[in-house]
Amino acid sequence: MDSLLAVVWMNLRSIPSRLGSSLVIVVGVAGVVGVLTALLSLAVGFSATMKGAGSDDRVLVLQNSSTTELTSGLSQEELDVISSAPGVARDSDGRPLVSAEVLVVADVPKQASDSTANLSVRGVGESGPILRDSFEIVEGRMFASGRAEMIAGRSVSGQFQNLAVGDVLKARNSDWEVVGIFSTGGDAFESEVWVDAPVAQSAFRRGNSYQSVRVQLEDAAAFDGYKQALDDDDRLRVDVFRESTYYQEQSSANTGLFTAFGVVVGAIMAFGAIFGALNTMYTAVSTRTVEIATLRALGFGSGAVIMSVMVEALVLALLGGVIGAAIAYVLFDGFTVSTLNNSTFSQVAFAFAVTPKLLAIGLILALGLGFIGGFLPALRAASLPVTDALRER
């Protein structure tokens, strides 16, 4: 074993003499790992933002066959039935913890350009903030009931124009004074602006209808009974979703698209990195022909030769993987962007999330590229005829 380690160490010490060709592997693998990690962190960040908005002990009630809140419509009479069903949690005064909400989208100029994008405007009642666990006003104050005031999510306030405290935002031919910035822990609600629900009904000509009803259950186990009660009530034609399930489904289209894009780009770059590694390691074996033949003449077997070449390829690839992962983490982790949610047709602000799992995937990929790139050259090194190789001296 000591002699085997000595051969491997001798091989690694010779890398500086082949620095230029060795950097081909390092740079190639770093590029693959860096790009793949960054693109997958896009998918992870978007998914985390959407799923963070949901809870197992809250439900979202929509009009029957509506796939999103925007296409749903519920009347005041339906709201009364939904609020009185068994399993609904109540506050200290005995009132049901239910939030009937209005949701519309408005074209608003983005900060990065003068082009407009869809901004979600949500009308909420008194219980709206209560039914978001992490809700807090981080600047300014809450909007006043009955007034054309709004509060903006912390994430979206930096993405659109006229969403700072004191600004006036024109949305759907109505002027809204921005009086506060709120946070909900970085989830999807921070991509919205909130207004008073009755004012939203009037401004957006919604009559007395709502798009959705959010219900706090007594506990997560009450879901089946609550859903069955609404399904059995002839006065209702509604669909009931666990909040967590709803937002998971809302994130699936974009998450799948980002993941597929990252895998395709990563696969294309990986092919290039493999050919680079093969070329580098074949060159390394060629320049060490006499050295390898000498080792074999001294009694070292094919296994030692293969091991020395493979370790070099794996070390160079791992170094490239660490560099690529570090670059992706430093440049992208926490970097906030916004994109169109294909399910709601509105902008969602979210942050790239370079997680430990993604970093581990990147390093495993790097080792895989190193193994593939080093295996064939290692076999060639082990099969070199000793006498022919020594004649090249």
Side-chain angles (χ1 to χ4, degrees), residues 208-281:
N208 67 343
S209 68
Y210 301 92
Q211 267 59 64
S212 62
V213 179
R214 198 171 305 273
V215 179
Q216 178 68 57
L217 298 177
E218 294 172 345
D219 53 51
F223 174 78
D224 290 338
Y226 180 77
K227 182 177 186 304
Q228 192 63 54
L230 266 56
D231 289 342
D232 293 342
D233 197 312
D234 294 334
R235 296 170 293 178
L236 297 175
R237 293 291 183 273
V238 297
D239 290 326
V240 183
F241 303 89
R242 279 192 195 273
E243 203 179 43
S244 55
T245 303
Y246 176 80
Y247 283 102
Q248 184 174 3
E249 292 176 351
Q250 293 292 303
S251 71
S252 60
N254 281 60
T255 301
L257 179 63
F258 295 150
T259 301
F261 182 68
V263 170
V264 170
V265 173
I268 293 173
M269 295 187 66
F271 273 111
I274 288 173
F275 282 114
L278 284 169
N279 182 63
T280 297
M281 295 312 299

Side-chain angles (χ1 to χ4, degrees), residues 196-213:
D196 185 37
V199 178
Q201 287 176 319
S202 175
F204 303 133
R205 300 177 181 177
R206 299 288 172 170
N208 67 343
S209 68
Y210 301 92
Q211 267 59 64
S212 62
V213 179

Side-chain angles (χ1 to χ4, degrees), residues 115-136:
S115 62
T116 60
N118 287 342
L119 172 66
S120 294
V121 181
R122 184 180 294 275
V124 300
E126 182 181 352
S127 297
I130 298 173
L131 267 60
R132 275 79 174 184
D133 297 329
S134 302
F135 176 87
E136 62 174 332

